[in-house]
Amino acid sequence: MTKFNAWNVIKNGLNGQSYWTRQWRDPEPKSSYDVVIIGGGLHGLATAYYLAKNHNIKNVAVLEKGWIGGGNAGRNTTIVRSNYMMPGNHEFYEHSLKLWENLSHELNYNVMFSQRAHVSLFHSPGAKDSVSRIYNIMRLHGTDAELWDLKTLKKKIPHLNYHNSRFPILGAAVQKRAGNARHDSVAWGYARAADTLGVDILQNCEVTGFTRKNGNIESIQTSRGIIKGKKIGFAVAGNTSVLWQMAELGNLPIESHKLQAFVSEAVKPLLDQVVVYGVGGAHFYISQSDKGSMVFGGDLDWYKSYAQRGNLPMVQDVAEAAMAIFPSLGRIRLLRHWAGVMDMTMDGSFFICKTPISNLYLNAGWNYGGFKASPASGWYFADLIANESPHNYVQNHNLERFEKGINIDERGAGPDPKLHG
Amino acid sequence: MIRINCPYCGERDHSEFNYGGDATIKYPSLNSSEREWTEAIFFRKNIKGFQLETWHHSHGCRMWLVVERSTVTHEIKSVKPCHPDFQKVVENNK
């Protein structure tokens, strides 16, 4: 794999760009691996990379049923932030944000991480109190967090709708180190870096069944033949239940829901931050991509679904929220919109844990927030697989927490997966 | 738009309804173990395919319905009132 640096750019510029090697190999599956990760999304690829990098476990395969970047890695709004308050969550997401800050160097691949600030508007004194509590907790743990009053906000983002009499903007809770990254680059960067360290990335390799022996999973049946793995990790958020039941493990505290996202035609620079508007029934987040498109999204479609396509009532809801907060978008045209399937969990937090099968490990339940989590998710999932015990940060992110009554419920919404937005 | 044929009101857009959840959950008896209650409250089959689910016709007759719907194609096979007595009434009035 040719490294990306100034010297190689110049050399290949003079050689007609003919010496670049492919980004990652397309190997035939070996019959067995030390670790097999099922799911070639951001989390699976990051796990494989950190297994090789941090734990020197390089005989690793990543099985992807489609192609790299074709699943939820390409179906998100690319927001990266760490404004969490529950123990375990804030340390985890803060570490993730720190990994993002150095990810382009780490992977030798420009993931276009842009720390443009994440601005959550508030519209009532109650909302200000509530968000102040969360952002103070963040500060106490060393995460950057601040409140902007109306004057500062108007100076930074002058073209929001400050004349909404129903939901007047009073200010914003801001995380300045938060921002966006380029989703494809993250997938390609992790795939390329993992491949360089010896990981086999097997695309078009769909898992169709498991063979059990002495309680363990001995081998995996796939569309590209039978593959053995000493240890096996699931990283297939959206479809976790399907694989879980294929392994005859019963039920999970997860429901699959679909979340839509939208991209408009490209316009000149309009918005320098990620802006979040959440009030009453509305939930809306928007940023501008490097190409100029407005990228935005809202809530789930509110009913359980595995379909990767959205329904119209939510399109209308999102459009209404956009007009409420950003009236200047009124004439902009949508280029495309899509839906991704989310693992929505019973308390809105994820799982990085062991399972009833001793050589099977679970990475699942990312709700709305899988994209920003991917570096830390890979980091701690690799740590769990290599060391056989969970790191402190994820020690309660397991399937037993519900029975123990230690749910990690950021919103306090209770056991209804669709409410954990 | 999903169209739900409400047994009381007729066929309506799904935006008139609120999705409830898995209609097959049965709560265990009050003296059941922690494990059984955890299973009932927190653990789901999360079926990919046809499932029985509840919907509330909140912007219509405000009745709870049991709908058999595919979670992949969104095709609906049947819609019935939740309560068995109402089911009988609806059947008798056909």
Side-chain angles (χ1 to χ4, degrees), chain A residues 8-313:
Chain A
N8 278 332
V9 168
I10 294 164
K11 193 173 93 178
N12 280 289
L14 298 172
N15 287 330
Q17 307 291 354
S18 54
Y19 288 98
W20 296 111
T21 52
R22 58 182 295 157
Q23 303 275 303
W24 58 86
R25 297 164 295 128
D26 183 21
E28 282 305 308
K30 287 192 266 180
S31 62
S32 90
Y33 291 92
D34 289 341
V35 179
V36 176
I37 303 294
I38 301 173
L42 298 175
H43 294 243
L45 294 168
T47 305
Y49 172 71
Y50 291 116
L51 275 170
K53 177 83 193 307
N54 294 356
H55 306 285
N56 206 27
I57 300 172
K58 294 179 175 169
N59 186 19
V60 176
V62 177
L63 315 188
E64 167 55 46
K65 76 173 171 186
W67 66 94
I68 296 304
N72 281 350
R75 292 170 181 267
N76 49 70
T77 43
T78 73
I79 296 169
V80 177
R81 59 185 167 87
S82 69
N83 53 350
Y84 286 76
M85 66 166 186
M86 298 295 286
N89 275 357
H90 58 70
E91 296 97 333
F92 176 88
Y93 286 105
E94 178 57 21
H95 186 207
S96 203
L97 183 54
K98 289 201 172 107
L99 291 170
W100 277 106
E101 284 173 329
N102 194 41
L103 201 57
S104 293
H105 295 288
E106 173 80 22
L107 300 179
N108 179 234
Y109 206 98
N110 186 1
V111 300
M112 303 186 197
F113 182 46
S114 152
Q115 295 179 289
R116 59 182 67 179
H118 179 270
V119 180
S120 279
L121 307 176
F122 52 79
H123 305 264
S124 70
K128 185 182 179 183
D129 287 349
S130 164
V131 82
S132 302
R133 174 171 168 258
I134 298 172
Y135 277 56
N136 272 325
I137 292 172
M138 288 159 62
R139 288 179 74 106
L140 286 171
H141 288 92
T143 303
D144 70 305
E146 56 188 73
L147 294 185
W148 283 357
D149 60 12
L150 197 54
K151 201 176 146 204
T152 315
L153 185 62
K154 278 182 173 168
K155 203 173 148 200
K156 297 274 190 189
I157 318 176
H159 45 309
L160 292 176
N161 180 8
Y162 292 100
H163 307 290
N164 188 328
S165 49
R166 177 69 182 87
F167 297 114
I169 299 171
L170 300 186
V174 181
Q175 189 178 21
K176 278 188 173 168
R177 285 162 61 238
N180 289 88
R182 164 98 184 130
H183 56 276
D184 287 328
S185 291
V186 188
W188 299 335
Y190 268 122
R192 174 174 170 271
D195 178 88
T196 308
L197 294 173
V199 171
D200 279 2
I201 293 167
L202 307 171
Q203 300 181 78
N204 299 310
C205 185
E206 183 171 1
V207 173
T208 53
F210 299 103
T211 308
R212 301 276 289 269
K213 193 181 175 187
N214 303 331
N216 282 0
I217 292 178
E218 191 198 29
S219 60
I220 305 164
Q221 292 134 34
T222 76
S223 53
R224 294 180 69 178
I226 290 170
I227 298 169
K228 286 187 177 178
K230 285 181 197 149
K231 294 182 179 184
I232 292 156
F234 285 179
V236 290
N239 284 292
T240 309
S241 296
V242 177
L243 221 52
W244 194 252
Q245 274 150 26
M246 206 183 273
E248 293 167 356
L249 285 166
N251 296 353
L252 277 175
I254 291 174
E255 275 187 8
S256 295
H257 284 260
K258 59 189 157 87
L259 181 61
Q260 299 192 50
F262 307 82
V263 171
S264 79
E265 60 192 326
V267 289
K268 286 185 176 179
L270 176 67
L271 184 62
D272 292 334
Q273 298 85 356
V274 180
V275 174
V276 182
Y277 167 58
V279 64
H283 183 195
F284 179 71
Y285 33 95
I286 186 164
S287 61
Q288 188 168 22
S289 79
D290 291 338
K291 279 191 287 191
S293 307
M294 304 308 289
V295 182
F296 51 96
D299 264 316
L300 299 170
D301 271 13
W302 297 128
Y303 54 86
K304 215 198 91 180
S305 175
Y306 282 93
Q308 284 179 312
R309 58 186 185 279
N311 216 324
L312 291 172

Side-chain angles (χ1 to χ4, degrees), chain A residues 401-418:
Chain A
R401 67 177 183 252
F402 300 99
E403 193 175 347
K404 289 183 191 158
I406 43 171
N407 307 1
I408 309 169
D409 191 339
E410 290 277 340
R411 293 190 79 179
D416 190 345
K418 66 180 180 293

Side-chain angles (χ1 to χ4, degrees), chain A residues 351-365:
Chain A
F351 304 107
I352 290 181
C353 61
K354 293 181 149 192
T355 70
I357 296 178
S358 64
N359 71 334
L360 177 67
Y361 305 82
L362 180 67
N363 175 319

